[in-house]
Structures are given as C-alpha cells and as structure tokens.
Amino acid sequence: MTDGTNPPSNPQPQPAPGNGGYGFPPAPPAPAAGYGYPPGAPAQDGGGGFGPAPQQWAQGLPDMGAPVPPGAPGGPGFPGAPGPFAPAPDQPDWEAMADRSAAEKRKKRLWMIAGAVTVLALLAGGGTFLLMGGDDKGGNEAVDDKQSPTVSASPSPSGSKTKAPVDNTPTVKDDPTQIRDRSGKSPLKMGPDAGVFPIDKRFEIRTKGNENSYAESQKAVVDTGKSFTVSAHVWNRAPKGRQIAVSQGNEKSFSFELGLDQVNGKPAWVFRVQTGDQGAEATAVTVTGESPKMEKTFSTLTGTYDAERKQIALYVNGKKTGEAAVPGIFQAQGPLQLARSRHEDKWTAPWNGAMETVHTYASVLSPAQIDTFKPGRVDAKTKPTGSWLLY
C-alpha cells in the first residue's frame, strides 16, 4: 500500500569496492551476526547497534553484505547515506502498483454500472412487451374475466401480472352436441343435422335448412317485456324465402325473429316482433334493411327493442337501416332458437347456411356500441345475457 507519495529516490553515493555496498558482491560477513545475516553468536553489545538477530528474522532473508560502520561512506551518519530502512533498488514499484489498483477499481465500478443498466433495460423491455402485446382475435375480455395467458398468474419482474388463458372451446365439455354459453348458463342443444365446425381461429354452426337443423336453449334467454338487444354474424347460401337466424317464442308463435325474408318481391334483412298473443301476421311489426351482397358472405344483423320508447330498430353491419314504433311485444317465454322460428303452431323459416358470434343483452345498446361490434367479440361495456360461438 502507499500513502500517495513516492519512495525516496535520491541518488546513492558510489560505494568503494570491497566494502559490501549496494550493487557489489557481498563481502564476507563480520563475525558478529547483524540484521540481515545468518544467525551466529550474538554480539555482546547489541551487534552494531541493531541488537541481536532473532532466528525468525534471520532465516530466509537475502544476503545484504557486511554492515557499514557509522560515519563511513555509505554508512549511518555519512552525508547523503540512506536511513537504516531505506528501500533497496529491487523493491516493488509502489506507484505502478497503486495505478494498477486504481485501474482495477475503476473497471469493477464500470462493470457494476453496466450490469445495473442492463437489468433496468430488461425490466423496462418486459413491461413494454406486456403493455403492447395482445391479439385482437385471442379472447374476449368482455365475456371472460380470465384473460390471455401466460404460464402462471405470479407477478412478472416488471410488477405486472400475467394473464390466465381464455377457454374458447365452442361446445360444452364432454357434450359436443351443445353450444357453450360464454356469458351465462344457457347452452344451445343442436339438432341432428346441425354441427359446429372450426374455420381458421373461429367456429361456426352450420345448418342445412331443414326441420332437423337447428339449436335451442332449455328456457327463455331474452325477457321480451323489457329492453333488449340481439345480434348474430350470419352467412346464407341463397337469399330465397323466409330464413330466420335467431328467434324466441313459445309453442304457438314467435316474440321476435331476426333473419332474412322476401319484402316487396326482393330479399331483405328483417327484424320482426309479434305484438299480439295470437301470433297473426296482422299484429307483427317488421323493420328491414339491405346490404350490397346478401348471399355467401358474412353480415352482422342486430335488432333492438326500447321498452321505454316502445320502438324497435334494425342495424346491418353496424348501421341503422330502419326503425318502427310498437305497442309492446308478446311475452312468450319459450326457449331461444337458432336457424328457425315458430309461426301458427309450426316450425318455419329454417336457415340454410352458417352463423357465429350470437349474443343477447338485457338493454338497448347505443348506435355507437353497435357500430363497433367485432366478429368473435361482444360489447366491452355491457355484460351480455348470453353469448355463443365467440373466439
């Protein structure tokens, strides 16, 4: 170690040959053993002023030559002579060692700073990834509180929590004949000629347009005596005749139906409600709409009933196409139906095609909410009363 000052560097006087000075071969040691010599008989008077040479001091020390008497050239008291503990020329370079020690400390500090910066960058990167990650088609935050996934729900290094996986299975566990209700407890039992099929990352129910191709709940899902919204993403093979995608009623008549019909000799999307308990055509009220292409392409149909204003409306692909005033809606408490409707005690209007993202709400959704509907999802601000075939 050093205190920051350099060891003395005064030039030494050139010792005379033969006196055992620095840089010359050592002269034969004096009979009395002194400091730096092999042990011998200790001097009686202290051995030249340094006292007796203990055994542990003498062993292993380099041969320094004979001591120089006081006052002699190069000895103690001689002008310019070094002190008794002056460093020999072969001692370490203390200044260089101090420089190397300081350099090592600086290097360690730099490594520690670099390591801390790297850790902070990784933590910041992980948080950014969590903030910016996510797939629009991966799950439905409005329907399931569970959100998309990673391995566990333990906190990540950035402090945010990971998300649990969303179950997008379209059918009830251990029963592939029932379409799972993602929002409530109303699975839809399919008829023998209906089935659920995967398409890319989504699922759809396909129906053949006959009396055995449908799906129904066990009980009513929509309270038609109050405000409600019903919507479905639909596809049909050919827009001919009456084809109903979603309806609800009883054994006698429908309360509402949403689908396709012929209006003034042309195919049109329809939302129709029954206002009388006898189910007559004269007491039905219909609103209609069109789209540029109505066959072999998906369209989103949405019907609303405002119980306070006594008004129904139809939206096609998010845009309102018609509305009408009604005195009220027949409160038939039968099950919800897909791909058919009830009329004059008979099943009618079978749907020939496919559909997905069917959902119902116990309120009137606003035009802005309806306009932002996305296939595979439901409205993020209002919990649906039922939702099927989401992804």
Side-chain angles (χ1 to χ4, degrees), residues 116-173:
V117 170
T118 302
V119 170
L120 290 175
L122 290 174
L123 294 178
T128 303
F129 174 79
L130 290 177
L131 287 174
M132 300 188 65
D135 184 359
D136 278 342
K137 296 185 179 180
N140 182 21
E141 297 179 359
V143 176
D144 290 277
D145 292 334
K146 298 178 181 178
Q147 300 182 4
S148 250
T150 48
V151 176
S152 68
S154 58
S156 66
S158 62
S160 62
K161 293 184 178 180
T162 56
K163 298 178 180 179
V166 175
D167 182 6
N168 291 322
T169 307
T171 55
V172 174
K173 184 179 181 181

Side-chain angles (χ1 to χ4, degrees), residues 168-171 179-182 188 196-197 202-206 338 355-358 375-377 387-391:
N168 291 322
T169 307
T171 55
I179 304 174
R180 185 167 69 99
D181 182 0
R182 294 277 296 276
L188 304 178
V196 171
F197 298 86
R202 61 185 176 84
F203 301 91
E204 62 184 30
I205 179 176
R206 298 178 187 174
L338 298 189
M355 66 186 80
E356 61 178 36
T357 318
V358 180
R377 292 176 174 265
S387 55
W388 303 267
L389 298 167
L390 303 183
Y391 54 91

